[in-house]
Every structure is written in structure tokens, then in C-alpha cells.
Amino acid sequence: MKNTIYLATALTLLTAGPAFAHPGHTVTGDFTAGFIHPLVGLDHILAMLAVGLLAAQNTGKSLVLLPALFVAVMAVGGILGLSALNVPYVEQGILASVVLLGAVVAFGKRLPLFASATMVALFAVFHGAAHGIEMPADTTAAAYGIGMMLASAALHAGGVAVGRFAPYALRYAGAAVAFAGIGLAAV
């Protein structure tokens, strides 16, 4: 276990780069832009996978509820990001989501459903706000949002799949997510 943590830390530090969830990496096409946006930022990818890992760790209703809750609240956060309302500490909230969700999974802690849902919903607001703020000006919000939600759901499904089909790797995957989040914070 100790060697695995050292290896995961070393790999994380070697691959850590800037959080790519920032303006300047747009593509053409409303749906395509929304679908690709969560897939080009390591911070978003890790957080979405971590939600799926957390859902798999908690089992039962969590398998569907936590990913669905994240996507729904992320949509609300996206609307907030598009509006004149300011969501404070968006980048810090995104990094915290990666580190904390990964750590909960890494430690094998099964939180009560209400606690997990509250944490997931809070972090979803930050991710949605970032997506809304960074939506290209020339895209349709609905098409962009649908793409964003589908890509996020696919990443959640990937995390659930790891937890369901490789449960022995669940805690390692959580540790890798948390260490990667620490690496992103250090950049």
C-alpha cells in the first residue's frame, strides 16, 4: 500500500499541469463545445470520476442518485455562471472537490447518503459555474449544457464502472484522484 501511494504521488507530480478549465480552449459547435469542455480539464475529469467512485463505494441508491444529483446541480451552477450572479471561489471549490472526494474514497469512508449528497451538490455548483462562465459567447446555452451534462455523466459512469468491476482498485483510484488534486493545487 505504501509503495503504491508513493508511486501514485510521483506519477501525479510528474503529470500535473495547469487546470485547463479556463477560457481559450473552445471548439466549434454548440453541443460539441459543451461535450468536450469537461473532457479537456484534468480537474473536471478527476472530480467527475471521483463522484462515480464515491457512488460505487456507497452502493445502493447512491449509484444513481449521486451522479444524477451532480449533473442536475451542475446545470443550476451553469445557469449561475451564465448570469450576473457571482459564484465565489470557483477554482478553489473545484480543486477542493477533487482532493476531498478522492480522499473520502481513498479512506474507504462510507458517508451517510445525506452527507455524500450534500458534498456532491456543493461541488457541482462550482463545476457548473465554471462551465457557465467559460461557455463560448457564440454558443447556444441549451445545446452546450446538454453536451456538458452528457460528458459529465459519462465520466461519472466511468468512476462507477471502476468501483463496480474493479472494487479492489476503488481506494487506489480515490488516492490517485486526491493526489492529482494536490498536484493541481500546487501548480
Side-chain angles (χ1 to χ4, degrees), residues 112-151:
L113 182 57
F114 180 78
S116 294
T118 301
M119 182 170 54
V120 164
L122 173 67
F123 292 142
V125 171
F126 294 118
H127 285 272
H131 291 305
I133 291 166
E134 296 162 2
M135 185 181 89
D138 60 345
T139 59
T140 306
Y144 180 88
I146 290 168
M148 175 186 72
M149 291 187 298
L150 286 175

Side-chain angles (χ1 to χ4, degrees), residues 167-183:
Y168 54 86
L170 189 61
R171 292 181 66 189
Y172 294 117
V177 168
F179 282 122
I182 293 168

